[in-house]
Amino acid sequence: MAYPSDRPDLTIKAVPQRHPFRWLAAGLTAVLIVGVVSSAFTNPRYQWDVVARWLTDGTILSGLLLTLQLTCVSMVIGVLMGIVLAVMKGSANKLLSSTSSSYIWFFRGTPLLVQLVFWFNISALYPRIAVGLPFGGPDLLSLDANQVITPMTAAILGLALNEAAYMAEIVRAGILSVPPGQIQAANALGMTGLQTTRKIVLPQAMRVIIPPTGNQTISMLKTSSLVSVLAIPDLLYSAQIVYSRTFQTIPLLIVASLWYLLVTSLLTVAQSFVERHFSPDADRPDRRFRRSRPRQEGLT
C-alpha cells in the first residue's frame, strides 16, 4: 500500500494564505505614524521648549491637584449614591423603585454640562436654602444659596449626581449577575441578609462591578474638565488662564493633554491589578499553589 509520502506527486503542499490587503493596511498605517511623529518633532509651532517649561509649573500642578480632588470626591459620592439607588431600584416597593428609575432616567438623559450650569445658577430658583418642617412649618436652618452653592460645590454636585445614575446601573448589573439559587441556598443555611451580602453576593458581584467602575473613574477624570465653564481652576482652566496671558495656546493644551494621559495611564494600570484580583480564577487552588510553591533549584 503506497502512502502519500512515497509518491512525490501525491504529497500535499501547504501554501500559506495570502493577505495582501492586510499588508497594504499595515504599510499605510506605518507611513501615517512616521508622518505624524516626524511632523510633531519638526514643526517648530509645537514649541516643545514651552511645553517643557510649563509642564511642571506651579499653576498647572495646582490645577492638576484640584482635578484629582474633584475626581476622587465625585466618584466616592457617586458610588455611594449609586449603591443606594441600585438597592432602591431592586426593591419590591413600587415607590422606591420608581423613584430610583426616574432619577436614573433624568440624570442619564440630560447633558452633564447642562447639569453643571443648572447647579451653578440654582440660586435663581431658591435664593435661600431652608431646612425645617414641611407645608409652611418653621425653618430650623436658613442659608443664602449664593454662599452655599459655590462654584466648587456646584461642580461636585453636578459630577457626583450624574455619576450616581451610571453607578446605580453598574451595581445593579453586578447584583443581578449572582445566581438566585446561591442566595436561596444561603437563606436555607440560616445566613442573615448581611452575611449573605458580604460572603455570597459581594464577592461575585465585584467581578462585574469593578471593570466598569474603573472605566467610570477614568472617564470622570476627563469629564471633570467641563467644570472649567464654572471658572474653577482645574487642570484645563489653569492652562486656559496661562495661554490667555501668553497667547501660547497649542503648547499649553499639549501640557494639559500630557498630564491627562499620564494620570489615565496610571489609573489604567491600577485598574488592571484590581481586575486581576477580582478575576473569576483569582481564588483557584492551582493558582494559589503556583504562587506559593517554592522555586526548586538544581532540577533539570
Side-chain angles (χ1 to χ4, degrees):
M1 182 176 183
Y3 292 94
S5 58
D6 300 331
R7 297 277 303 276
D9 57 324
L10 297 179
T11 303
I12 298 176
K13 297 181 179 180
V15 179
Q17 187 178 1
R18 307 296 182 182
H19 300 282
F21 293 103
R22 182 185 302 176
W23 285 104
L24 178 62
L28 293 176
T29 304
V31 171
L32 179 62
I33 293 174
V34 171
V36 171
V37 173
S38 175
S39 173
F41 284 96
T42 57
N43 190 341
R45 294 182 179 87
Y46 279 94
Q47 297 178 294
W48 291 108
D49 56 333
V50 178
V51 173
R53 184 171 73 250
W54 286 104
L55 192 62
T56 56
D57 184 78
T59 304
I60 300 298
L61 293 181
S62 63
L64 174 63
L65 180 60
L66 185 57
T67 295
L68 295 176
Q69 292 174 349
L70 275 173
T71 302
C72 293
V73 173
S74 301
M75 277 304 300
V76 169
I77 298 176
V79 169
L80 294 178
M81 290 188 61
I83 295 173
V84 175
L85 290 170
V87 174
M88 289 175 59
K89 191 169 184 178
S91 174
N93 189 302
K94 294 298 182 181
L95 178 61
L96 294 179
S97 60
S98 300
T99 302
S100 176
S101 299
S102 301
Y103 180 98
I104 295 171
W105 164 78
F106 178 81
F107 281 93
R108 292 177 64 182
T110 54
L112 176 57
L113 183 58
V114 175
Q115 297 175 30
L116 289 170
V117 176
F118 176 83
W119 287 111
F120 183 72
N121 295 278
I122 192 65
S123 60
L125 284 176
Y126 301 99
R128 299 196 66 82
I129 298 177
V131 178
L133 298 178
F135 308 110
D139 294 336
L140 303 178
L141 179 65
S142 181
L143 300 172
D144 186 0
N146 288 318
Q147 296 179 357
V148 176
I149 308 298
T150 62
M152 190 68 175
T153 306
I156 294 175
L157 282 173
L159 294 174
L161 295 179
N162 181 267
E163 184 62 30
Y166 292 91
M167 285 305 306
E169 291 297 284
I170 292 174
V171 174
R172 190 172 70 91
I175 295 174
L176 292 177
S177 67
V178 181
Q182 297 192 19
I183 301 177
Q184 296 172 2
N187 295 332
L189 292 174
M191 298 178 65
T192 64
L194 182 60
Q195 290 175 333
T196 302
T197 302
R198 184 169 58 88
K199 296 184 178 181
I200 304 297
V201 177
L202 282 182
Q204 300 180 74
M206 290 297 287
R207 296 169 181 173
V208 178
I209 294 174
I210 287 297
T213 301
N215 294 335
Q216 287 296 115
T217 304
I218 295 174
S219 178
M220 174 65 74
L221 175 73
K222 297 179 293 183
T223 306
S224 64
S225 60
L226 291 176
V227 303
S228 60
V229 300
L230 306 181
I232 296 177
D234 68 322
L235 177 57
L236 177 60
Y237 192 74
S238 299
Q240 291 175 336
I241 292 175
V242 174
Y243 72 64
S244 65
R245 185 175 69 250
T246 64
F247 302 101
Q248 297 168 328
T249 305
I250 297 299
L252 268 300
L253 290 178
I254 292 176
V255 168
S257 300
L258 289 176
W259 276 117
Y260 280 120
L261 282 172
L262 177 60
V263 178
T264 52
S265 299
L266 294 177
L267 290 176
T268 302
V269 173
Q271 178 186 359
S272 65
F273 280 105
V274 176
E275 289 182 5
R276 192 179 308 168
H277 176 73
F278 286 100
S279 62
D281 58 345
D283 53 354
R284 281 171 44 187
D286 55 340
R287 287 194 60 180
R288 292 199 302 266
F289 176 73
R290 287 197 298 268
R291 288 198 299 264
S292 61
R293 185 174 55 187
R295 181 181 299 175
Q296 298 180 4
E297 300 180 355
L299 298 180
T300 58

